[in-house]
Amino acid sequence: MKTHRWLAVAAALAVVLPGCSASSPSPSASSSSNAPYIIGGFASLTGGGAALGQSWKQAVEIWQKTVIPDGKINGHPVEFLIQDDQSNPDLASQIVTKYATDNKVIALAGATFGNVLEAIRPLLDDRYHLPLMRIVGRYHDEEPLIKWAFSTLIDHTVAATLMIDYAKQQGWTKLAVVSSDDAFGQAMNQIVQKRIAAAGLTLVDNEVVPFTAADSTPQMTKIREAKPDAVVFYAAGTGATTAWKNLKQIGMTAPILLSPAFQDKKVSQAVGSMADGALIITNGIDSCPLARQKLAFDALHAAGVTDVNFIHTAAWTGLDILKASLEKANIDPDPLKVEAERGRLRDQIEKTQNYSGVSGVISYSPTDHIGITPDGYMWGVFKGTTLTALDQSKCGK
Amino acid sequence: MTPDFYAQVLASGLVMGAIYSLIAIGYNIVFSATSGVSFAQGEYVTLAGFTAIGLVGAGIALPLAVLAAIAAATLVSAIFERTTIHPVLMRGPVAIGMVTIGQQIALQTTDLSVWGYGSQSLDPFTGGEPVRIFGAVVLPQAFWVVGVTFLLFIALRVFYAKTWLGRSMQACSEDKEAAASLGINPGLVVLAAFVLSGAAGAIAGVLVAPIVAVYFQSGIEWALKGMAAAIIGGLGNTTGSLVGGFSLGVVEALSSSFIPAGLQSTVPLTLLVLLLMFRPSGLLGRKMARL
């Protein structure tokens, strides 16, 4: 009987003791060196903005293989989660919430469109305090600071200024503007109008085309009748591509200045031979990588990307800065500490100064999370459907 | 605005109107045979456009690629009819409509996975400089679009009037039970309807691909415009398809010059609402009661 009692006590101890040890500091928590950095990525991978989102995804995947071939930062494995927000703000909010609470991500990357960024902004700044390397460029002159989001993309407000300055330098005094009817297009329409007025130039026609217009010939005919010296396209969507094509189809010969969203080989191929001669403002041209872009461009080309664009460069730079910040601040990915560490990571990203990235030279400050300096921009010109640098002397430097 | 402007707007409206007419013809053929609506109609436009672009990209000559694309889209329509429409034929127009929504999703998803997210374009059928007509610059492709639309319309009229199958389809559209009692096979008529409607959509697709960029979601836009054209002209009436398509095209072109972009998509709907209020059967229709 005594033997049975001892056996029972031994069995009970065998059951209870592991439980006791689990309630003490866990092996996984104490050895946080094995814990992964979980990064939550999301973009518009389907839908009208899929071209941008797919470019972002390509860049993320190739960046991981190129920059962290062992899959580690600071000795910690990196888990990169990718979700499709379908340009849907509600869906994006759900994804961010899940990343913040269930997946315990250390940072976010992505967000393709302004409506998505607006929707998740309270989640980042007020609720979860989660740093984001965003790929939405600034398209409001007075965009309020998003404390937890950092841009590496073209600043559209600066790009618009450069476009109008270029027109003025060329002596083109009468300009027509084409924009799309989405929030981005409308905001940029206002900014371009302001820049034209500020430069003392004349706006002879202003056309807004539907985001998915199948035919914009009537509106482009109005532009042709207005006889502008040049036409400025600051727009997005398939409707903008159609408008560009329609304008050339009706025999418009005035120079065309395009915004960065037109930097997609499929867009120029859809316009066909009529793309020839159009100028585009961007921060990276496939056939003309600068010295600071070479590693990324070579890797993208080797992976089969034949048309590196401003989203590829922005995504790459964002991840480079994120990696550098994780390393410099020696961020601990322990899930129990992740919320505090997110704050330290944000502060480290904000300290980034004169970072020579693929998309430009980036400097952040407590009042500026856009960061990209104007010298990161360059002009491209379409030769047929192929984009080349207007100033070839910059290539490789 | 100068006369040149209005000439250009009219030319643009006629070209887009021709495409809407072809899609509307497809709706009408299916409606006549089944009393239902095929929500996948716009997808045949996209499918044929993409197929032609893909074949040309693979080195096949343009005329052959265009014909093969039409044949392929038509075949897909026939296969869908046999595998998904035929089994639910007796369940009525609602079931048919629901099945075609499934077809629409399947075709769009296939387009996305095969051809990707970007927009693409086909080479024009014939080269040459644009022609000036009353001040409007008209592309050679525009003549193909309008010309083929009228040819197809005439061919369809002859088919309905002169062939056994065409007359059988006419009979079924009048009274299915009576037609069946005369030995007409309703299953064969419905198959023929889906073959013809798929072909009409496919022809629209290859005609418009050199003018308008093709992307995987463009079928929805075409479907909505084509359906609006069919209802405006009068569901079940082939001539009405032509009238509805061209009316919609011209009104839309005019309105896009004067109405803000955000409201332009309301034009077809506004036309529809007005028409349904004052002439529910459409401009030339007589069958709305069967809807």
Side-chain angles (χ1 to χ4, degrees):
Chain A
M1 195 67 181
K2 267 188 179 176
T3 312
H4 285 150
R5 274 186 193 158
W6 278 111
L7 279 173
V9 169
L13 283 172
V15 171
V16 169
L17 280 176
C20 290
S21 64
S23 65
S24 61
S26 70
S28 63
S30 59
S31 60
S32 57
S33 60
N34 293 327
Y37 286 130
I38 306 173
I39 300 169
F42 61 104
S44 305
L45 302 177
T46 56
L52 303 181
Q54 291 289 345
S55 293
W56 171 83
K57 184 167 175 272
Q58 274 180 330
V60 166
E61 289 168 352
I62 298 164
W63 179 88
Q64 288 182 84
K65 286 178 192 161
T66 309
V67 180
I68 50 167
D70 61 350
K72 289 181 177 178
I73 297 175
N74 260 354
H76 297 284
V78 175
E79 279 182 26
F80 212 113
L81 311 173
I82 292 183
Q83 292 273 322
D84 177 12
D85 66 29
Q86 299 170 23
S87 307
N88 179 339
D90 293 332
L91 184 55
S93 297
Q94 288 172 30
I95 292 169
V96 168
T97 300
K98 186 170 184 300
Y99 278 162
T101 56
D102 293 356
N103 302 114
K104 303 282 184 194
V105 300
I106 190 71
L108 299 169
T112 330
F113 283 96
N115 61 343
V116 165
L117 186 63
E118 278 303 308
I120 64 169
R121 180 190 180 129
L123 300 178
L124 304 180
D125 277 7
D126 304 328
R127 193 152 177 199
Y128 299 121
H129 297 144
L130 192 52
L132 163 70
M133 301 311 296
R134 66 187 244 197
I135 49 165
V136 185
R138 174 164 64 181
Y139 60 92
H140 291 289
D141 276 333
E142 285 90 31
E143 182 188 283
L145 180 79
I146 306 178
K147 288 179 192 167
W148 290 77
F150 298 87
S151 175
T152 48
L153 194 98
I154 274 181
D155 181 344
H156 293 287
T157 65
V158 174
T161 306
L162 296 174
M163 289 171 92
I164 303 307
D165 285 351
Y166 182 81
K168 193 173 183 178
Q169 284 165 18
Q170 301 302 312
W172 302 330
T173 57
K174 294 185 295 176
L175 301 179
V177 175
V178 179
S179 57
S180 44
D181 68 346
D182 58 318
F184 167 76
Q186 289 304 282
M188 287 314 300
N189 186 286
Q190 296 298 314
I191 288 170
V192 172
Q193 283 192 59
K194 270 196 228 169
R195 300 293 189 272
I196 290 172
L201 306 179
T202 307
L203 177 67
V204 294
D205 193 23
N206 181 24
E207 297 294 337
V208 179
V209 297
F211 194 80
T212 56
D215 180 46
S216 295
T217 305
Q219 287 162 289
M220 296 306 104
T221 306
K222 283 171 79 178
I223 287 183
R224 189 185 67 187
E225 295 229 320
K227 296 186 172 59
D229 294 330
V231 184
V232 177
F233 278 72
Y234 224 115
T238 52
T241 308
T242 303
W244 176 16
K245 190 173 184 178
N246 291 156
L247 189 64
K248 297 300 287 184
Q249 282 172 337
I250 59 170
M252 188 70 173
T253 54
I256 290 175
L257 305 179
L258 301 167
S259 59
F262 289 86
Q263 193 186 359
D264 179 342
K265 204 160 201 167
K266 285 184 174 164
V267 168
S268 56
Q269 281 173 345
V271 176
S273 59
M274 285 174 282
D276 190 62
L279 295 156
I280 187 167
I281 184 97
T282 182
N283 60 356
I285 292 172
D286 196 60
S287 59
C288 175
L290 308 179
R292 60 180 160 78
Q293 297 175 322
K294 196 161 183 328
L295 171 74
F297 276 51
D298 285 350
L300 288 160
H301 289 158
V305 179
T306 55
D307 54 339
V308 178
N309 62 34
F310 67 109
I311 293 287
H312 291 117
T313 60
W316 196 286
T317 307
L319 296 179
D320 277 347
I321 290 176
L322 186 59
K323 175 177 177 282
S325 302
L326 286 166
E327 287 169 345
K328 275 185 193 165
N330 196 21
I331 297 296
D332 187 343
D334 184 339
L336 299 174
K337 299 174 186 169
V338 73
E339 285 171 18
E341 290 296 273
R342 286 170 184 163
R344 288 211 308 122
L345 177 59
R346 190 211 82 96
D347 294 345
Q348 185 62 48
I349 296 170
E350 197 174 67
K351 288 176 190 163
T352 302
Q353 288 295 309
N354 297 316
Y355 187 89
S356 187
V358 182
S359 64
V361 179
I362 311 274
S363 292
Y364 297 128
S365 74
T367 55
D368 180 12
H369 285 189
I370 302 299
I372 194 162
T373 54
D375 54 5
Y377 299 80
M378 62 178 80
W379 279 99
V381 60
F382 283 99
K383 303 278 186 196
T385 59
T386 305
L387 185 62
T388 60
L390 191 61
D391 180 3
Q392 294 284 331
S393 67
K394 286 184 178 177
C395 303
K397 293 176 185 168
Chain B
M1 297 297 165
T2 64
D4 286 5
F5 168 78
Y6 288 104
Q8 189 70 63
V9 169
L10 184 65
S12 168
L14 289 175
V15 172
M16 297 312 290
I19 298 298
Y20 299 157
S21 297
L22 284 173
I23 302 165
I25 284 173
Y27 275 113
N28 274 333
I29 294 170
V30 170
F31 178 77
S32 296
T34 65
S35 300
V37 172
S38 169
F39 292 99
Q41 194 58 34
E43 297 306 322
Y44 296 106
V45 181
T46 307
L47 179 63
F50 267 137
T51 307
I53 292 165
L55 291 174
V56 168
I60 293 171
L62 182 66
L64 203 58
V66 163
L67 292 174
I70 294 169
T74 306
L75 183 65
V76 169
S77 183
I79 291 170
F80 269 154
E81 194 284 328
R82 284 290 97 179
T83 54
T84 61
I85 299 292
H86 189 69
V88 300
L89 204 52
M90 303 313 289
R91 297 191 182 178
V94 174
I96 291 170
M98 295 302 288
V99 166
T100 61
I101 289 174
Q103 293 176 355
Q104 188 272 327
I105 294 167
L107 286 170
Q108 191 183 88
T109 309
T110 306
D111 285 342
L112 175 65
S113 47
V114 175
W115 285 285
Y117 52 85
S119 49
Q120 299 182 41
S121 202
L122 185 66
D123 293 334
F125 290 7
T126 43
E129 290 297 304
V131 181
R132 275 201 171 259
I133 302 174
F134 299 117
V137 179
V138 183
L139 296 169
Q141 186 67 23
F143 295 104
W144 278 101
V145 173
V146 178
V148 170
T149 302
F150 275 105
L151 278 178
L152 193 79
F153 169 73
I154 293 165
L156 206 58
R157 300 288 298 189
V158 171
F159 170 77
Y160 279 141
K162 303 286 183 189
T163 67
W164 169 81
L165 185 57
R167 284 200 296 269
S168 299
M169 291 174 77
Q170 289 273 46
C172 271
S173 75
E174 296 291 331
D175 189 328
K176 287 180 183 57
E177 287 76 21
S181 70
L182 291 171
I184 294 171
N185 179 354
L188 180 65
V189 166
V190 173
L191 173 63
F194 273 87
V195 166
L196 285 176
S197 70
I203 290 168
V206 295
L207 286 172
V208 81
I211 298 177
V212 176
V214 185
Y215 66 108
F216 79 97
Q217 287 176 315
S218 53
I220 294 172
E221 295 271 327
W222 293 122
L224 287 173
K225 301 285 176 63
M227 188 184 288
I231 296 172
I232 289 167
L235 264 174
N237 188 308
T238 309
T239 311
S241 302
L242 219 59
V243 173
F246 282 113
S247 305
L248 180 62
V250 172
V251 171
E252 196 180 50
L254 273 172
S255 65
S256 67
S257 314
F258 304 107
I259 293 178
L263 297 174
Q264 282 172 24
S265 58
T266 63
V267 171
L269 293 174
T270 310
L271 265 183
L272 268 185
V273 170
L274 288 173
L275 204 79
L276 291 173
M277 280 170 65
F278 298 108
R279 194 173 165 81
S281 59
L283 292 174
L284 303 180
R286 55 190 170 84
K287 287 194 168 181
M288 286 302 288
R290 293 181 66 173
L291 270 175

